[in-house]
Amino acid sequence: MKISQSYSGIRSEILEDFNALLDYIWKSPRFVRYESELEEKKLEGYFPEEEAKSDPHVEFLRNARKYFEDKQLQRFPRYIAASNLFLATSLFEHYLYAICRGFERLCDCKVTEQRGNGCERFFRFLEQAGFKPRNASLYVQVDAALTIRNTLLHANGDLRLSRERRKVEDISNRKLFMKPDRRKSPGMLDDWGNEEVYISSDKDHMNINNFYSYRAAVQYREYLLDISQPLCPEDY
């Protein structure tokens, strides 16, 4: 991936990369549906239903394989959703850093001089450079996405191991991952009945569905386009 040296084309690069990613995220759940259909064919090929009706041994093997494969496939949607959010966040950090490098040309401060890790360092740099990244449109939603990503990445969604448990619960309960005018809606349920961001019944685990990964990628894209405006005013 090559970032435009002049920065005048960074907006089109953000759009191109994120639009491709959004298409990928939208289509990726088809893998589970494809594998489910394929497994049904394999099951019938290995242990035919008619044969299972008359042979207890075949019936046992058929039921055992179906149980095992169904259990495996039930995990796939969660893996896909988390992986897609990680990918979207990585692309977001990549372009946020590129934008900061562009702003270095407009001020006397450097990104490397800032304390903090990851995106927090970039936000602090932009503030020192005279901008207000935390006042930008969608910052609340971007911050929510980064918090959710960190919780899934470092603790697999286990809130007992998260230092931001209360923040995660607040994000989920108040739907801070959505724009204010959307928070009264239930959000998008996936094919398996999972909400976009939800806390498990034991109250100790957080999960997401793929619709949320898609929503977060859109929010990342729009936020980057917003804060990059001073670098390429001719695009606006």
Side-chain angles (χ1 to χ4, degrees):
M1 186 183 304
K2 183 179 179 181
I3 297 297
S4 171
Q5 294 300 309
S6 67
Y7 291 94
S8 62
I10 195 169
R11 182 173 183 269
S12 61
E13 292 170 7
I14 291 170
L15 283 168
E16 182 177 352
D17 273 337
F18 269 93
N19 288 347
L21 175 61
L22 285 166
D23 190 41
Y24 170 81
I25 292 174
W26 188 262
K27 293 175 179 176
S28 57
R30 297 178 187 175
F31 169 72
V32 181
R33 291 190 285 271
Y34 169 79
E35 285 297 319
S36 297
E37 294 171 359
L38 182 61
E39 180 53 34
E40 287 293 328
K41 294 178 181 178
K42 287 182 178 180
L43 188 66
E44 187 60 25
Y46 296 151
F47 311 109
E49 185 176 6
E50 287 301 317
E51 188 175 340
K53 291 178 181 179
S54 59
D55 188 333
H57 180 66
V58 174
E59 180 184 24
F60 172 80
L61 292 175
R62 178 184 174 91
N63 290 339
R65 181 181 176 92
K66 181 173 176 54
Y67 172 80
F68 175 78
E69 291 296 335
D70 286 351
K71 192 173 183 179
Q72 295 289 86
L73 287 169
Q74 286 172 4
R75 290 182 167 90
F76 285 10
R78 179 164 57 89
Y79 297 160
I80 290 171
S83 299
N84 284 339
L85 180 61
F86 298 160
L87 182 57
T89 303
S90 179
L91 193 61
F92 173 75
E93 291 179 348
H94 171 75
Y95 276 111
L96 186 59
Y97 175 61
I99 289 169
C100 288
R101 290 296 301 274
F103 280 125
E104 282 184 337
R105 301 182 178 187
L106 306 178
C107 64
D108 297 327
C109 49
K110 300 291 184 182
V111 176
T112 54
E113 297 172 350
Q114 307 305 312
R115 293 182 178 180
N117 298 313
C119 292
E120 182 59 28
R121 169 181 284 192
F122 302 147
F123 292 142
R124 289 181 179 180
F125 164 78
L126 291 171
E127 288 171 335
Q128 186 175 353
F131 301 95
K132 297 180 179 180
R134 302 180 205 272
N135 291 345
S137 175
L138 292 175
Y139 173 76
V140 171
Q141 288 72 46
V142 165
D143 183 59
L146 294 173
T147 301
I148 291 169
R149 174 263 189 184
N150 289 340
T151 302
L152 290 171
L153 181 64
H154 299 299
N156 194 31
D158 192 333
L159 298 179
R160 295 170 297 183
L161 302 176
S162 175
R163 292 179 294 180
E164 297 184 297
R165 175 170 189 148
R166 291 187 178 181
K167 183 176 181 180
V168 171
E169 291 173 337
D170 198 39
I171 289 170
S172 176
N173 294 333
R174 296 174 58 196
K175 296 186 178 180
L176 299 180
F177 57 91
M178 293 183 177
K179 293 180 179 180
D181 61 340
R182 302 286 181 86
R183 291 173 188 164
K184 292 184 179 180
S185 69
M188 298 287 288
L189 298 179
D190 64 15
D191 292 345
W192 300 271
N194 300 315
E195 297 180 8
E196 289 190 40
V197 178
Y198 61 99
I199 307 297
S200 62
S201 57
D202 64 11
K203 307 298 183 183
D204 287 329
H205 296 83
M206 180 209 66
N207 285 300
I208 63 173
N209 71 21
N210 199 59
F211 285 121
Y212 174 67
S213 299
Y214 187 91
R215 182 189 297 274
V218 171
Q219 293 165 346
Y220 282 153
R221 180 192 65 187
E222 297 308 305
Y223 180 85
L224 291 169
L225 292 175
D226 186 17
I227 67 169
S228 64
Q229 182 175 354
L231 290 177
C232 39
E234 67 276 9
D235 290 339
Y236 293 82

